[in-house]
Amino acid sequence: TKVLLTGGSGFIAAHILDQLLKKGHSIVTTVRSEEKAKKIREAYPDKTQDQLAIVIVPDIAQPGAFDEAVKIPGLEVVLHTASPFHFKAKDPKTELIDPAVNGTTGILKAIVKSAPSVRRVVITSSFAAIMDEAHLSDPNVTYTEKSWNPVTIDEIHRSPATAYRASKTLAEKAAWEFVNNKANGAKFDLVTVNPPIVFGPVIHYLSSLESINTSNERLVQLAQGHWKNGAPPSPGAYLYVDVRDVAAAHIKGGLEIPEAGGHRLFTTAGYYSNKEIADIVRKNFPEYSDRLPAEDNHAGALPPKDQRYGFDNSETKKLLGIEWITLEKSITDTIKSLKALGA
Ligand code: NDP
């Protein structure tokens, strides 16, 4: 199948690219710079231009950013993963909201205009578009594929996390509105993938400890001894999934499961806590023991059931049939990959 993958240099996208190539699909991926294009090309020296082509799209916030990139003969599936994920924005509107929302509506418009053969678009959304900050310790709330974060654009100055969550929520909303409004002329259907925090091994040719992706940052900090006096709390972030499962969900949802059309895929393996992460590293990497909190230090533990939200992703589990990677495997493989980068 001919696939367009945006943001091919990203943590999640690099796994999608790898899995797609292993399955024999033909891919065009976009990156922001020639420097990143070169790294990807060098990682797959045996691939022909037809198997793997790389197009530079410098800034997805710009109108028409994808107009040329989507002009691919026979293009069937688009996986749109590119979107800023960091908590460093000085101006959340231009640095987070615009690239997230304009990037999403921009690629949908470009497909309608110039890529009539596309039958399905998958957008990487997030649990950030499902959860509600006001109910993170509310045991009466159960998040499902139908839940929506009520955040609005007026709240983006509350905190960097709120701004990021708003960017994902507004972008996903814009996508569903676009395909549901017949006047826009979309001939494809939509799937979103909504993962909570994603752990898992980094793809080495793209990564360094200094520029590690946001969701693995805490594991670099742990490996560098910053958790010695106790694992940090992670308010609200109690669900996780492994990057290899997220990549597989994009491919199943985009290419392999026709019935996924119109669905939000709430990909999570379940609850985790920073305390459990520290325990897994202590067990499997004795060489890190002097950098870790003591076993009886309960900082960063999961709040009891009556002090956290519930979740139910049975619809997604039924559709995808993925055996989720366990926290122990996910963390162990991540730490191995960080060690290879010098952690
Ligand atoms: P990364 O930061 O590794 O990937 C983000 C990707 O988006 C990179 O390819 C980045 O390019 C690209 N990008 C960001 N801003 C722009 C822009 N203005 N113009 C062009 N490209 C841009 O993070 P992840 O792989 O984790 O994130 C991928 C997707 O998954 C995002 O949509 C994110 O919101 C979503 N997600 C991630 C979760 C996680 O825990 N990791 C959880 C839920 C959702 P470059 O490499 O050049 O920086």
Side-chain angles (χ1 to χ4, degrees):
T1 307
K2 194 91 187 164
V3 182
L4 173 64
L5 171 69
T6 70
S9 56
F11 164 56
I12 295 173
H15 282 271
I16 299 176
L17 182 68
D18 201 58
Q19 291 186 14
L20 281 171
L21 286 171
K22 286 198 176 116
K23 288 184 167 218
H25 298 293
S26 161
I27 300 134
V28 178
T29 190
T30 69
V31 293
R32 284 202 260 198
S33 64
E34 175 50 36
E35 186 200 339
K36 295 205 168 157
K38 190 164 169 266
K39 286 187 186 165
I40 297 177
R41 240 178 260 124
E42 284 172 0
Y44 297 104
D46 302 336
K47 297 295 171 194
T48 63
Q49 179 72 11
D50 187 52
Q51 291 167 316
L52 175 61
I54 306 174
V55 175
I56 313 274
V57 174
D59 183 8
I60 57 175
Q62 298 309 313
F66 287 111
D67 284 4
E68 292 306 311
V70 301
K71 290 181 182 163
I72 301 164
L75 180 63
E76 286 181 58
V77 175
V78 175
L79 309 179
H80 177 51
T81 79
S83 197
F85 180 22
H86 58 78
F87 302 117
K88 293 178 286 205
K90 291 199 185 71
D91 178 11
K93 173 72 170 61
T94 53
E95 292 170 62
L96 294 174
I97 307 292
D98 289 351
V101 176
N102 299 355
T104 300
T105 53
I107 198 158
L108 298 176
K109 284 181 197 160
I111 295 165
V112 170
K113 194 158 75 175
S114 310
S117 52
V118 170
R119 58 181 164 80
R120 175 159 296 171
V121 175
V122 180
I123 290 179
T124 317
S125 185
S126 174
F127 179 60
I130 289 181
M131 53 105 90
D132 177 350
E133 282 178 7
H135 292 279
L136 295 178
S137 46
D138 185 346
N140 298 314
V141 170
T142 300
Y143 294 115
T144 73
E145 291 82 357
K146 294 187 176 54
S147 312
W148 274 97
N149 186 338
V151 70
T152 68
I153 188 86
D154 300 328
E155 295 165 81
I156 61 173
H157 296 285
R158 186 189 299 151
S159 75
T162 306
Y164 169 69
R165 289 168 183 157
S167 78
K168 299 304 290 178
T169 305
L170 299 175
E172 194 197 325
K173 269 201 179 134
W176 289 113
E177 277 164 21
F178 187 95
V179 296
N180 289 335
N181 182 348
K182 296 266 175 297
N184 288 319
K187 293 198 183 66
F188 48 83
D189 62 11
L190 179 67
V191 175
T192 64
V193 181
N194 296 59
I197 193 163
V198 183
F199 299 127
V202 295
I203 300 271
H204 288 126
Y205 64 85
L206 290 162
S207 309
S208 69
L209 288 183
E210 298 69 42
S211 68
I212 208 73
N213 67 287
T214 301
S215 56
N216 277 331
E217 259 169 16
R218 72 181 67 198
L219 299 173
V220 173
Q221 302 210 316
L222 169 154
Q224 291 176 341
H226 297 285
W227 290 19
K228 184 137 184 57
N229 297 320
S234 48
Y238 313 129
L239 296 177
Y240 84 98
V241 63
D242 186 89
V243 66
R244 292 158 289 191
D245 288 341
V246 177
H250 281 78
I251 296 169
K252 282 174 178 264
L255 288 78
E256 298 172 358
I257 304 181
E259 315 82 82
H263 285 269
R264 301 172 86 203
L265 303 176
F266 181 8
T267 48
T268 181
Y271 294 109
Y272 83 99
S273 72
N274 286 343
K275 155 83 178 142
E276 278 173 84
I277 290 179
D279 290 344
I280 290 167
V281 178
R282 188 181 308 100
K283 176 177 159 210
N284 294 331
F285 300 89
E287 64 274 34
Y288 283 147
S289 60
D290 59 347
R291 305 183 207 177
L292 294 169
E295 200 168 355
D296 59 1
N297 183 333
H298 287 277
L302 191 64
K305 218 173 167 201
D306 62 353
Q307 288 169 39
R308 61 173 136 100
Y309 56 78
F311 76 97
D312 176 0
N313 67 335
S314 44
E315 183 185 312
T316 301
K317 283 198 284 195
K318 203 168 140 206
L319 263 172
L320 296 180
I322 290 179
E323 275 296 325
W324 307 110
I325 291 171
T326 62
L327 187 65
E328 175 153 6
K329 177 167 172 56
S330 189
I331 296 303
T332 303
D333 291 351
T334 313
I335 297 288
K336 277 187 200 155
S337 86
L338 297 179
K339 279 190 79 156
L341 291 178

